[in-house]
Amino acid sequence: MGCSDPEGIADAISDDLTPVDLKAAYEGGHVKEVLDQLDQELIGLRPVKTRIREIAALLVVERARKQVGLATTAPSLHMSFTGRPGTGKTTVAERMSKILHRLGYVRKGHVVTATRDDLVGQYIGHTAPKTREMLKKAMGGVLFIDEAYYLYRPENERDYGAEAIEILLQVMEANREDLVVIFAGYKDRMDVFYQSNPGLSSRVANHIDFPDYTVPELLAIAKLILAKENYRLSEEATVVFAEYIQRRMLLPFFANARSIRNAIDRARMRQANRLFNAMAAGLTKRDLITIEAEDITASRVFAGELEGLDPSAPLTDEPGARDRAGL
C-alpha cells in the first residue's frame, strides 16, 4: 500500500534531532586512508579524484542514514572509465573497490579484470558459462571490463557478444548490493558502445573521464616510479627526460604513464650496460642509483622512432594487441 501522507512523514523525520556523526562513519571505514593514498600515488587526475570523493561521500552518508534507521536504497555504483591507456583507470578501480569494501557495500573488495576473450565464446552455448564464471569470480567486489566496446560487434551476425551483455545486465541489476561493474576504454568508442546499448547505458550511473597527463605530470610520475625502485634522475637527465616525454607524446601509440614506465625500464638497462662496460673501480652507491642524461638520449625516440616494438610484427585492432606490443 502507498503512503497516504508522505509529506507528513517527512515533516516528522525533519523534527527528529537524533545526532549523526558523519566523521565517525567516515573514519570508521578507514576511507580517508584510501583517498589519501589515491592522492599520493596518482599524479594529477584532479577531476577523477573529485568524482571518487563525491562517490565516497555518498556512501558515507548512506551508511549514516542506515545507522539512524532511515530507509535506504543501494545506489547504482556501476561505472564507466574512459580515457587513453596509462591514465590510471585500473589503479582507480582498485581504490574504488577498497572504499566499497570498507563501507560494507561489497563483501570482499577485490578486482577481477576481464576482456572480451574472458566473456564471449566462439560457438553456441559457450558464452553464457564463460560470462557467468567471470561474474562469479567478481562477486563481492569489482568486475573491471577493459576495452568493453569489443563486446558489441553488430557487423557480425554470428557474434555472441550481445549474449554476454544481456547476462551482464541481468546480474548488474540483481546483484547491485554485492557487485560493481566498471566498463573501460577509449572515450569515443565507449560513447558509440553506450548508444548501441541503451539498457546498459541506463544502468551505468557514474561516467568518469580520465584526461591525458601533461609533461610536468608525466615527469613527476617518472620520478615517483624511480624513487620507489631506489633510482633517481641526475639534474641533466631530468631536463633530457622532459624532452623525451615531449617527443614520445608526438609518436603513435602513446600510452601516458605506461609509456613512461617502459621508458624507465629501458633507461635502467642502458644505465646497467654503461656501468657494466666501464667496469670502473671506485663505483659508488650513488652511481648505482643515478640515471644519467646519456641513458635517456640513446633512445630511438630522439630519432623519431618507436622503441620496444618488433617492426616485423603487424599491429592489429584486436583487443589487447597494443598492450601485448608493449605500447
Side-chain angles (χ1 to χ4, degrees):
M1 294 179 60
C3 177
S4 59
D5 187 14
E7 291 186 2
I9 292 178
D11 289 340
I13 293 175
S14 68
D15 292 333
D16 188 342
L17 299 181
T18 300
V20 175
D21 191 347
L22 275 182
K23 184 177 181 182
Y26 176 58
E27 294 180 348
H30 303 286
V31 178
K32 184 177 185 300
E33 297 173 10
V34 181
L35 293 175
D36 288 347
Q37 188 178 22
L38 192 68
D39 277 334
Q40 293 166 7
E41 293 185 356
L42 281 185
I43 305 295
L45 298 180
R46 189 56 50 193
V48 175
K49 293 175 181 177
T50 298
R51 188 61 181 276
I52 296 303
R53 285 184 177 276
E54 290 172 350
I55 293 172
L58 171 64
L59 297 179
V60 169
V61 170
E62 284 295 303
R63 187 181 193 183
R65 285 170 57 88
K66 185 180 294 185
Q67 289 173 346
V68 296
L70 291 173
T72 61
T73 301
S76 177
L77 295 172
H78 303 304
M79 305 179 191
S80 173
F81 287 1
T82 54
R84 295 211 289 174
T87 48
K89 297 187 291 296
T90 303
T91 301
V92 171
E94 292 169 351
R95 298 294 177 269
M96 193 70 243
S97 187
K98 285 185 178 181
I99 292 171
L100 294 168
H101 176 56
R102 292 185 180 190
L103 288 173
Y105 281 83
V106 293
R107 289 176 292 113
K108 299 178 182 178
H110 64 304
V111 177
V112 173
T113 299
T115 63
R116 174 189 165 86
D117 290 343
D118 300 306
L119 300 167
V120 181
Q122 298 180 359
Y123 51 83
I124 294 176
H126 193 205
T127 294
K130 287 190 72 170
T131 302
R132 294 192 185 282
E133 178 62 24
M134 291 305 297
L135 286 164
K136 181 180 178 181
K137 290 180 180 178
M139 203 61 65
V142 168
L143 177 61
F144 183 85
I145 304 177
D146 201 12
E147 297 180 309
Y149 32 75
Y150 285 118
L151 291 176
Y152 184 68
R153 288 181 170 174
E155 72 282 357
N156 185 352
E157 61 181 20
R158 293 187 177 183
D159 185 70
Y160 303 109
E163 182 182 356
I165 293 172
E166 185 60 33
I167 294 171
L168 285 169
L169 288 174
Q170 294 171 5
V171 175
M172 286 166 62
E173 186 62 29
N175 297 273
R176 60 191 297 176
E177 295 185 15
D178 198 35
L179 174 71
V180 171
V181 179
I182 300 177
F183 299 92
Y186 289 96
K187 180 171 174 48
D188 55 345
R189 297 188 184 186
M190 291 299 291
D191 288 343
V192 174
F193 176 61
Y194 289 124
Q195 290 169 10
S196 303
N197 298 274
L200 182 60
S201 179
S202 66
R203 285 172 174 79
V204 178
N206 301 283
H207 292 257
I208 304 176
D209 189 39
F210 287 65
D212 286 337
Y213 291 106
T214 64
V215 172
E217 287 172 345
L218 289 169
L219 184 58
I221 288 171
K223 291 180 177 179
L224 188 63
I225 293 172
L226 286 165
K228 287 182 178 179
E229 298 175 352
N230 291 312
Y231 283 89
R232 71 178 187 90
L233 294 169
S234 69
E235 188 173 336
E236 295 80 6
T238 300
V239 175
V240 171
F241 198 78
E243 184 181 350
Y244 169 92
I245 294 171
Q246 292 175 320
R247 290 171 178 261
R248 181 64 187 87
M249 291 173 76
L250 298 175
L251 294 174
F253 313 120
F254 176 65
N256 286 278
R258 193 176 303 165
S259 292
I260 298 304
R261 159 65 73 182
N262 291 341
I264 288 173
D265 287 344
R266 287 189 286 271
R268 287 177 56 191
M269 284 191 287
R270 293 192 196 98
Q271 182 238 32
N273 191 52
R274 171 172 55 80
L275 296 177
F276 182 78
N277 287 337
M279 286 292 182
L283 278 179
T284 66
K285 185 176 180 180
R286 181 176 181 178
D287 294 318
L288 294 176
I289 69 172
T290 303
I291 303 294
E292 298 289 356
E294 62 190 287
D295 303 322
I296 309 297
T297 55
S299 167
R300 296 209 312 268
V301 166
F302 282 90
E305 301 174 7
L306 285 174
E307 289 187 303
L309 177 65
D310 180 356
S312 65
L315 282 176
T316 73
D317 200 34
E318 286 301 304
R322 293 177 182 181
D323 286 345
R324 290 193 294 271
L327 300 172

